[in-house]
Amino acid sequence: MMTLIEWLRPWEPSAPVFIACVLAIGLYAAGMMRGARPGFWAALAFCLGVGLIYGVTQTHYDYYSQYLFSAHRLQHLALHHLGPFLIALSMPSAVLAAGLPSGVRQLPARNGLVGFFKLLRGVYRVIQQPVIAAVLFVGLIYFWLTPSIHFDAMLSIDRYWLMNWTMALDGLLFWWLMFERGDQGATPRLTPGQRILILALIMPPQIALGAYITFSGQNLFDIYAVCGRAFPIDPMLDQQIGGLITWIPASMMSVVAALVILAFRLEKSNEQA
Amino acid sequence: MCSLSNQPFHYQGQAVLTLRQIDRMNGVIKGSAFRAFKRVADTLIEGEDYFVLAMDELKTRSADPALNALHAAMLSADALYPSSRVVVLITQTAYARLQRAANLSSS
């Protein structure tokens, strides 16, 4: 029986993930101490989102992610969907900005760096174009689940982290685009209808991929057979559970997001009335 | 634990260990040797530093008595994880690199 300490110990320690999570929570807390008032639910959503990302990468759960396909799919559900969804839902930019030291906040306006930040903003606006964002969101899932690419990613620590980072960052970008509200910033402002259309369009490819994995008669991801799965489980059952996770909860997130967007729209209408 | 189970096997003229043997020798959980292997996999050459054998092949091949004997020896030494479909055999050179990558013991 594992102790709590053993569960909390990272299987594959990653300084960048640890630093990013601690920095995010630290900045958020600093922002609140400096007067930002995000509200209880927003703060909870942000902490839960960061906590989820940390939990699936920097605890013993990561061990199961590397030795069970179904656990890996749950890990990516948290990294690409749930965690970034909650973070974006909390719209933390104002709180995080308040937490930054003033010197860092003024960096974009500094003479030598204006061009760099302009370029960064331009790149950000390009990858946040609705079609590009949607293709990237679905494309990355397909890319990392291509059996040969998946094999290589799970066989190399560097590629493994590249996979996880790209999933988390892309998830953040996508859900940020979906939930962007408040003052106009660098993120393209889409109408609720456009957002719901994108959410509807990304569902069928995820459903198709999940169904393909679930109903495939062959073992598609043989990397999990190299060392053996974390515990004795039929490889096909493991694959079917992983397929269902790719299929149902991942697609359901689109429905939940559409409801959230409609709620925001109603809230705005009520304010204007 | 039977010390015999951690004796290296011989494959293609080299002394080799399975991942399960390495985990057991170092008293670490299943997957630790494979994790170390993944850390250094890019620097290893298949066929020289390590060998990969498909379990299905091992189970069905009868034309190669040496391979049959190896399979039987690995089974009797409890050197394979039951859920593995592939056997990775690590040579001494590769094991030294695994040890450096993961601070495994040299026992």
Side-chain angles (χ1 to χ4, degrees):
Chain A
M1 193 74 178
M2 290 190 80
T3 63
L4 182 64
I5 297 291
E6 282 169 330
W7 260 103
L8 292 176
R9 194 178 297 152
W11 169 249
E12 192 65 69
S14 165
V17 175
F18 181 80
I19 291 167
C21 291
V22 168
L23 210 61
I25 295 292
L27 276 180
Y28 201 85
M32 287 175 72
M33 283 191 283
R34 285 181 183 164
R37 291 283 172 266
F40 173 77
W41 293 110
L44 182 69
F46 181 81
C47 292
L48 265 179
V50 176
L52 260 177
I53 290 174
Y54 183 89
V56 296
T57 54
Q58 290 299 287
T59 65
H60 197 72
Y61 182 82
D62 188 37
Y63 167 73
Y64 291 96
S65 302
Q66 295 190 34
Y67 295 104
L68 271 180
F69 179 69
S70 47
H72 158 76
R73 290 317 303 151
L74 258 184
Q75 181 191 51
H76 273 205
L77 181 71
L79 278 180
H80 198 222
H81 288 69
L82 261 179
F85 181 101
L86 289 168
I87 293 171
L89 189 62
S90 73
M91 277 287 107
S93 48
V95 187
L96 293 173
L100 282 172
S102 60
V104 178
R105 270 203 307 269
Q106 284 154 12
L107 272 182
R110 205 172 276 177
N111 269 345
L113 295 171
V114 171
F116 171 73
F117 278 99
K118 208 174 164 184
L119 176 74
L120 208 63
R121 188 185 167 98
V123 171
Y124 175 74
R125 285 188 68 85
V126 168
I127 55 175
Q128 287 293 60
Q129 289 308 304
V131 175
I132 297 175
V135 169
L136 264 179
F137 188 80
V138 173
L140 266 181
I141 305 174
Y142 272 73
F143 178 78
W144 290 118
L145 282 177
T146 304
S148 59
I149 294 170
H150 191 77
F151 189 95
D152 288 343
M154 299 303 282
L155 199 57
S156 154
I157 295 298
D158 293 339
R159 282 188 286 266
Y160 177 71
W161 284 119
L162 176 70
M163 173 175 71
N164 287 344
W165 271 103
T166 52
M167 291 303 275
L169 290 176
D170 178 63
L172 269 176
L173 286 169
F174 181 80
W175 295 113
W176 204 282
L177 180 67
M178 290 300 104
F179 295 140
E180 170 71 353
R181 60 193 186 279
D183 298 335
Q184 176 79 53
T187 309
R189 186 59 58 89
L190 308 178
T191 64
Q194 286 172 320
R195 296 176 201 216
I196 291 170
L197 178 66
I198 294 172
L199 290 167
L201 287 174
I202 62 162
M203 277 174 71
Q206 291 183 83
I207 291 171
L209 181 62
Y212 172 72
I213 294 170
T214 305
F215 295 120
S216 176
Q218 55 171 322
N219 189 1
L220 298 168
F221 305 101
D222 45 7
I223 180 69
Y224 300 95
V226 176
C227 174
R229 284 168 167 77
F231 50 80
I233 179 175
D234 179 62
M236 293 310 290
L237 177 64
D238 183 31
Q239 183 169 295
Q240 282 158 1
I241 297 170
L244 285 172
I245 293 167
T246 309
W247 175 0
I248 296 167
S251 304
M252 281 301 290
M253 294 292 294
S254 279
V255 178
V256 175
L259 291 174
V260 169
I261 290 164
L262 282 175
F264 287 159
R265 180 76 186 89
L266 280 174
E267 195 179 64
K268 204 175 169 186
S269 302
N270 288 341
E271 281 170 9
Q272 285 166 351
Chain B
M1 190 164 292
C2 176
S3 61
L4 195 71
S5 62
N6 291 334
Q7 292 299 310
F9 302 103
H10 285 85
Y11 183 72
Q12 296 198 356
Q14 295 212 57
V16 290
L17 289 165
T18 66
L19 294 172
R20 186 176 198 180
Q21 282 180 302
I22 296 173
D23 282 341
R24 197 159 47 200
M25 282 161 63
N26 293 282
V28 290
I29 64 166
K30 175 182 184 176
S32 302
F34 187 48
R35 176 179 56 177
F37 174 73
K38 286 195 280 187
R39 285 180 181 160
V40 296
D42 289 341
T43 66
L44 302 177
I45 302 166
E46 186 175 350
E48 282 182 27
D49 299 316
Y50 68 96
F51 303 94
V52 179
L53 307 175
M55 193 68 97
D56 292 343
E57 254 179 74
L58 278 175
K59 282 176 181 167
T60 55
R61 185 179 293 201
S62 55
D64 187 347
L67 214 50
N68 285 338
L70 173 68
H71 185 219
M74 287 192 292
L75 285 178
S76 69
D78 201 18
L80 302 172
Y81 283 118
S83 53
S84 295
R85 297 285 174 96
V86 173
V87 181
V88 181
L89 298 172
I90 306 288
T91 65
Q92 283 179 324
T93 320
Y95 182 50
R97 287 195 212 166
L98 261 63
Q99 284 175 317
R100 283 197 293 274
N103 295 323
L104 296 173
S105 80
S106 54
S107 58

